[in-house]
Amino acid sequence: MASFALLRSKAFSAHKGFQIAARAFSSNTGTFSGKAIESGSDVKGFFLRNEADYRLFYEDAAAGKISPWHDIPLYADSSKTLVNFVNEIPRGTVEKMEIATKEEFNPIKQDEKKGKLRLYPFASLVNYGALPQTWEDPEHKDESTGMLGDNDPLDVVEVGSKIYPSGAVYPVKLLGILGMIDEGEMDWKVIAIAADDPLASSINNVDDLEQQMPGKVKSILDWFKFYKMPDGKPENVFGFDDKAMDVEFTQNIVEMTHEAWKNKDKLAQHGLWTK
């Protein structure tokens, strides 16, 4: 299973006019090892997270700077039982961090809307992030809901017991998926659990999750339904009568979005950065 070590380097160097420091992490799955590089405004080496210029880049020892979206493999093992997960938003935080799909090398940054950094009105209930090498094609109409994709990587809610930092990369087990429709776009929410979580061996689907963590799926569903309401927007809606779909359905969505991601010309046509 993957491990994540947070290391702060005492050696600083310039990066696009700012200071950078290294945060190293590794995975013994053999799928990814490297480090994350913080960039942005700082005070004595402490980076100001709630600033528009904050970025978290990724580097690989062999390849140099890499994209967490395009270069980290989707599947964490040859059997495709586990997938790699890029954590953007640690559980308990409110900063809306995300992979910058339109920027070179796709660093993680805080999302902005109308010139303001975005904060959720409620603390995240999960480690929230994305699956690398996936894309919800805005030209693809979902067979079940009739909605078009939202032009982003596939979102993941990771329900394990450990809080991982923003930028962590680790294998997760797929449990199910919620079909959220966000302002007329398909915005799937994959439900997963860290492969090394103490409960992972006993949770294989959303029914097991309900047994081990009663009410967990409902709380996630409600969080996403209501989080835009403080801004005066209506609650989000979900397909499939608010039910989480099973593992097989989830695997099909993951594979479909993986195939869509392979069409780099199409990604570029929709304004996204590709290598």
Side-chain angles (χ1 to χ4, degrees):
M1 300 302 139
S3 60
F4 184 98
L6 182 59
L7 304 175
R8 191 171 288 277
S9 172
K10 292 183 179 179
F12 294 86
S13 58
H15 177 72
K16 293 186 178 179
F18 303 117
Q19 298 292 325
I20 60 173
R23 296 197 307 176
F25 55 94
S26 63
S27 168
N28 63 10
T29 61
T31 56
F32 178 76
S33 64
K35 62 183 178 180
I37 304 293
E38 289 180 301
S39 168
S41 303
D42 74 289
V43 176
K44 302 294 185 180
F46 292 94
F47 286 91
L48 305 178
R49 292 291 301 271
N50 295 317
E51 294 288 337
D53 62 4
Y54 178 85
R55 297 292 185 275
L56 187 66
F57 288 93
Y58 289 74
E59 286 189 357
D60 177 81
K65 190 176 287 186
I66 64 169
S67 161
W69 184 18
H70 300 305
D71 293 316
I72 295 174
L74 169 60
Y75 293 106
D77 60 356
S78 57
S79 67
K80 298 186 177 181
T81 304
L82 303 176
V83 292
N84 283 314
F85 167 63
V86 179
N87 189 39
E88 298 164 322
I89 303 169
R91 188 174 80 239
T93 62
V94 297
E95 293 84 4
K96 191 180 185 303
M97 309 300 291
E98 64 179 19
I99 293 172
T101 56
K102 297 181 179 181
E103 294 186 15
E104 187 178 30
F105 290 105
N106 309 124
I108 291 176
K109 69 169 187 176
Q110 190 168 351
D111 188 27
E112 292 183 67
K113 192 167 186 178
K114 297 180 179 178
K116 294 184 178 180
L117 294 172
R118 290 187 66 185
L119 299 173
Y120 287 126
F122 323 125
S124 180
L125 301 178
V126 294
N127 294 313
Y128 184 40
L131 293 186
Q133 299 187 344
T134 62
W135 179 52
E136 293 197 52
D137 183 353
E139 296 180 25
H140 172 78
K141 183 177 287 189
D142 180 71
E143 294 179 1
S144 304
T145 65
M147 297 293 110
L148 300 174
D150 69 352
N151 202 31
D152 281 327
L154 204 55
D155 291 335
V156 178
V157 293
E158 194 275 296
V159 300
S161 58
K162 183 176 178 180
I163 298 175
Y164 283 87
S166 182
V169 180
Y170 54 99
V172 298
K173 180 196 289 190
L174 302 175
L175 304 177
I177 194 167
L178 291 165
M180 179 169 141
I181 300 168
D182 186 1
E183 299 184 20
E185 295 179 329
M186 200 65 225
D187 191 4
W188 296 104
K189 305 298 178 187
V190 174
I191 303 169
I193 189 168
D196 63 355
D197 190 88
L199 291 177
S201 61
S202 58
I203 299 178
N204 298 301
N205 50 53
V206 288
D207 291 333
D208 292 342
L209 179 60
E210 182 61 25
Q211 259 195 333
Q212 296 289 336
M213 304 180 195
K216 189 68 172 181
V217 174
K218 178 66 163 54
S219 66
I220 293 169
L221 181 84
D222 286 346
W223 193 100
F224 282 107
K225 272 189 175 185
F226 306 143
Y227 83 95
K228 290 188 176 182
M229 292 183 72
D231 291 330
K233 294 184 178 181
E235 68 178 62
N236 283 317
V237 298
F238 284 77
F240 315 105
D241 297 321
D242 290 356
K243 298 292 190 298
M245 304 304 285
D246 63 19
V247 173
E248 182 180 2
F249 187 98
T250 306
Q251 290 169 333
N252 289 337
I253 295 296
V254 170
E255 186 59 31
M256 179 189 70
T257 56
H258 181 49
E259 289 300 313
W261 164 84
K262 292 178 181 179
N263 190 339
K264 299 299 194 302
D265 289 340
K266 198 171 184 181
L267 268 70
Q269 290 169 9
H270 285 277
L272 306 175
W273 185 84
T274 62
K275 298 191 74 174

